[in-house]
Amino acid sequence: MALRSLDNALPVLPSERPKKQPKVAAAAAMKQQPDLVRVNDENKPPVPAPAPSNADATIDYIPSENLKSIDDPDVRIHGLIGGLESKDWLKVCESLNDARRFALYHSSLLLPILDKVMLIIVKAMKNPRSALCKTSIMASSDIFKAFGDKLLESPVSDAYDPLLLQLLLKASQDKKFVCEEADKALKAMVESFTPLPLLHKLKSYASHSNPRVRAKAAVSVSHCISKMGLEEMKEFGLISTIQTAAELLNDRLPEAREAARSIVVSLYKALTENEEEKQEVWQSFCQSNLSAIHAQAMLKLVSS
């Protein structure tokens, strides 16, 4: 009995203890069940894994000058809307490029369905997929070049208003390559439209509550004003224009302030051709229509 008790009291030697699974082996075992681990981790996407972030790189962004005309356009036009409404985003991008080709080379075929096409373009601009968004913005540029003032006529004008807002929003975002493309589209818009009717569309956005949208609209307004003569400026409203510029001069964003300065210079140059009277006429105009502090700022701006 004493010997049995002694045996039971003996310590277990290290070699006799149960072996722990090595960390390396445990890690390997975890790797054998990646799907299980991913599913149980709420901070990671479920299986199947999402497409890699560079998936949009499969899209070719074709410059307008490299687009070709369409073979059998009379036949192809009937499938355009269906392609634009496809659930496959790659098919939508392809159809957007077709819409660009129709605009540039077969505009008469596109015109009857242009309002529907533009609404689909607006929807594509809202899509979080960058490739789809950028391609739709490029499509808007080519439509501006092809149709110009026709976009302000009914029924297409109903689709133009949401398109303009989306372009201003996309030009205001942080994603650089989308923002740059939207800036190009807004520039193409100003170059393709008659300034006066476009200004009526842009006017409300120059006082938008979103400072970035306000700044982008101010830039387009300044480009329109720079293309106008005095009579067109008078028709649009000299007083309302100088008051808008005065407000933008104090805007929080430098882009808006620079646009305001451009508007002021355009007004100053157009107001009179008589250089000797220009300063006096400008001073009288500003003092009659602005507060004293704003009038002083206008006089200082043109004198510098």
Side-chain angles (χ1 to χ4, degrees), residues 57-122:
T58 59
I59 292 295
D60 290 328
Y61 302 112
I62 309 171
S64 300
E65 58 270 20
N66 292 345
L67 290 168
K68 307 297 182 183
S69 61
I70 294 176
D71 296 330
D72 299 324
D74 296 287
V75 175
R76 294 278 297 277
I77 192 66
H78 298 295
L80 181 62
I81 296 296
L84 289 170
E85 293 179 336
S86 172
K87 300 298 183 182
D88 181 350
W89 70 271
L90 287 171
K91 177 63 176 177
V92 176
C93 284
E94 179 185 337
S95 298
L96 284 168
N97 282 328
D98 283 343
R100 298 173 63 199
R101 295 160 72 194
F102 273 110
L104 295 174
Y105 296 105
H106 318 282
S107 59
S108 61
L109 292 174
L110 186 62
L111 185 58
I113 58 170
L114 186 56
D115 55 335
K116 296 179 182 178
V117 171
M118 289 173 63
L119 289 174
I120 295 172
I121 287 175
V122 170

Side-chain angles (χ1 to χ4, degrees), residues 54-224:
N54 64 347
D56 288 352
T58 59
I59 292 295
D60 290 328
Y61 302 112
I62 309 171
S64 300
E65 58 270 20
N66 292 345
L67 290 168
K68 307 297 182 183
S69 61
I70 294 176
D71 296 330
D72 299 324
D74 296 287
V75 175
R76 294 278 297 277
I77 192 66
H78 298 295
L80 181 62
I81 296 296
L84 289 170
E85 293 179 336
S86 172
K87 300 298 183 182
D88 181 350
W89 70 271
L90 287 171
K91 177 63 176 177
V92 176
C93 284
E94 179 185 337
S95 298
L96 284 168
N97 282 328
D98 283 343
R100 298 173 63 199
R101 295 160 72 194
F102 273 110
L104 295 174
Y105 296 105
H106 318 282
S107 59
S108 61
L109 292 174
L110 186 62
L111 185 58
I113 58 170
L114 186 56
D115 55 335
K116 296 179 182 178
V117 171
M118 289 173 63
L119 289 174
I120 295 172
I121 287 175
V122 170
K123 181 180 178 181
M125 282 188 195
K126 297 178 181 179
N127 193 290
R129 191 179 290 277
S130 299
L132 194 54
C133 181
K134 179 170 179 174
T135 307
S136 65
I137 294 172
M138 296 175 77
S140 71
S141 293
D142 290 324
I143 285 174
F144 292 151
K145 295 171 189 175
F147 295 100
D149 290 346
K150 289 181 180 179
L151 299 178
L152 304 179
E153 301 172 1
S154 183
V156 183
S157 59
D158 293 337
Y160 172 77
D161 291 330
L163 177 62
L164 174 58
L165 175 59
Q166 279 305 309
L167 280 177
L168 291 170
L169 289 170
K170 294 306 174 185
S172 306
Q173 67 167 242
D174 295 325
K175 193 169 291 186
K176 185 176 179 181
F177 84 108
V178 171
C179 176
E180 289 176 346
E181 199 62 47
D183 279 334
K184 291 179 185 177
L186 290 170
K187 185 177 180 181
M189 176 186 71
V190 173
E191 291 174 349
S192 304
F193 285 62
T194 302
L196 186 57
L198 181 57
L199 273 174
H200 287 296
K201 293 287 188 181
L202 288 166
K203 181 169 59 175
S204 61
Y205 295 113
S207 56
H208 198 275
S209 59
N210 183 322
R212 291 188 176 186
V213 170
R214 189 167 62 241
K216 294 299 180 180
V219 171
S220 293
V221 168
S222 71
H223 289 161
C224 286

